[in-house]
């Protein structure tokens, strides 16, 4: 049986920490589905379509990684994808507490689900999309925390909002 994992998130923007987890998941699982959440309530910097396009560009060299947007309940998305493994990144103890609560809820709703927690590589342990957006919002250079295509897209957003 092929091992298929779903890695969900807003990915606004996709960071080097996310990419670290995607690369590692691509070696651990036969198929990785990067599930880009619409999350309009979070007021994302990038539209869903832009986030999907950026992720496709970043992941183009990973043949077993696909990128799909979703706006429904994650459990329903996983069932649609016929996936029973969920990947979540954790950086801190507070991430673990939050993700553990979510995991309990998800498993209650989908008992066959397995949840895999992966910490990022040490150099990315402090990187978050929220911090990258804050840097960009204040005119800073977030390039060291994202891939070049994402850095370019952030700069274009910065110029458009001036």
């Amino acid at each position: 049986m092929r091992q298929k994992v779903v890695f969900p998130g807003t990915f606004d923007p996709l960071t080097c920490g996310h990419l670290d987890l995607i690369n590692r998941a691509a070696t651990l699982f036969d198929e990785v589905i990067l599930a880009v959440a619409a999350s309009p309530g979070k007021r994302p910097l990038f539209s869903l379509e832009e986030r999907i396009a950026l992720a496709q560009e970043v992941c183009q060299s990973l043949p077993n990684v696909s990128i799909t947007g979703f706006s429904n309940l994650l459990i329903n998305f996983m069932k649609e994808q016929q996936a029973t493994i969920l990947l979540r990144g954790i950086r801190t103890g507070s991430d673990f507490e939050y993700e553990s609560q979510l995991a309990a809820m998800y498993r209650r709703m989908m008992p066959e689900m397995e949840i895999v927690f992966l910490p990022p590589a040490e150099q990315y342990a402090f990187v978050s999309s929220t911090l990258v957006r804050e840097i960009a919002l204040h005119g800073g250079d977030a390039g060291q925390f994202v891939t070049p295509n994402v850095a370019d897209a952030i700069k274009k957003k910065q110029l458009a909002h001036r």
Side-chain angles (χ1 to χ4, degrees):
M1 187 168 109
R2 293 184 50 82
Q3 293 287 319
K4 185 189 298 189
V5 66
V6 171
F7 181 21
T10 306
F11 305 109
D12 183 48
L14 187 84
T15 68
C16 291
H18 293 132
L19 184 56
D20 172 58
L21 295 180
I22 295 164
N23 279 315
R24 290 168 47 215
T27 66
L28 294 170
F29 300 97
D30 298 316
E31 185 178 347
V32 178
I33 300 169
L34 190 70
V36 183
S39 302
K42 289 187 174 184
R43 296 181 48 198
L45 176 65
F46 293 102
S47 70
L48 177 60
E49 294 75 20
E50 289 171 321
R51 288 180 279 137
I52 290 169
L54 288 168
Q56 287 171 332
E57 193 175 335
V58 169
C59 297
Q60 65 185 347
S61 66
L62 300 168
N64 64 331
V65 175
S66 61
I67 291 83
T68 305
F70 77 103
S71 59
N72 57 340
L73 192 63
L74 179 60
I75 298 298
N76 293 339
F77 177 81
M78 294 206 43
K79 288 177 181 177
E80 289 167 9
Q81 299 297 316
Q82 299 179 333
T84 58
I85 305 170
L86 179 68
L87 173 66
R88 297 297 294 170
I90 54 169
R91 295 176 310 245
T92 63
S94 60
D95 279 356
F96 182 75
E97 284 183 33
Y98 175 74
E99 293 296 340
S100 292
Q101 289 176 343
L102 280 179
M105 182 189 65
Y106 291 149
R107 300 244 5 241
R108 183 72 181 252
M109 296 172 74
M110 188 176 167
E112 67 275 22
M113 179 189 291
E114 290 295 339
I115 296 109
V116 175
F117 295 129
L118 270 182
E122 185 179 320
Q123 67 266 33
Y124 305 121
F126 65 91
V127 178
S128 74
S129 293
T130 302
L131 292 176
V132 170
R133 282 193 315 273
E134 278 294 309
I135 292 167
L137 179 68
H138 292 87
D141 180 8
Q144 62 185 309
F145 308 116
V146 296
T147 58
N149 71 313
V150 174
D152 289 344
I154 290 170
K155 286 177 186 167
K156 287 177 185 164
K157 287 282 183 183
Q158 286 173 318
L159 292 174
H161 291 320
R162 285 187 182 170

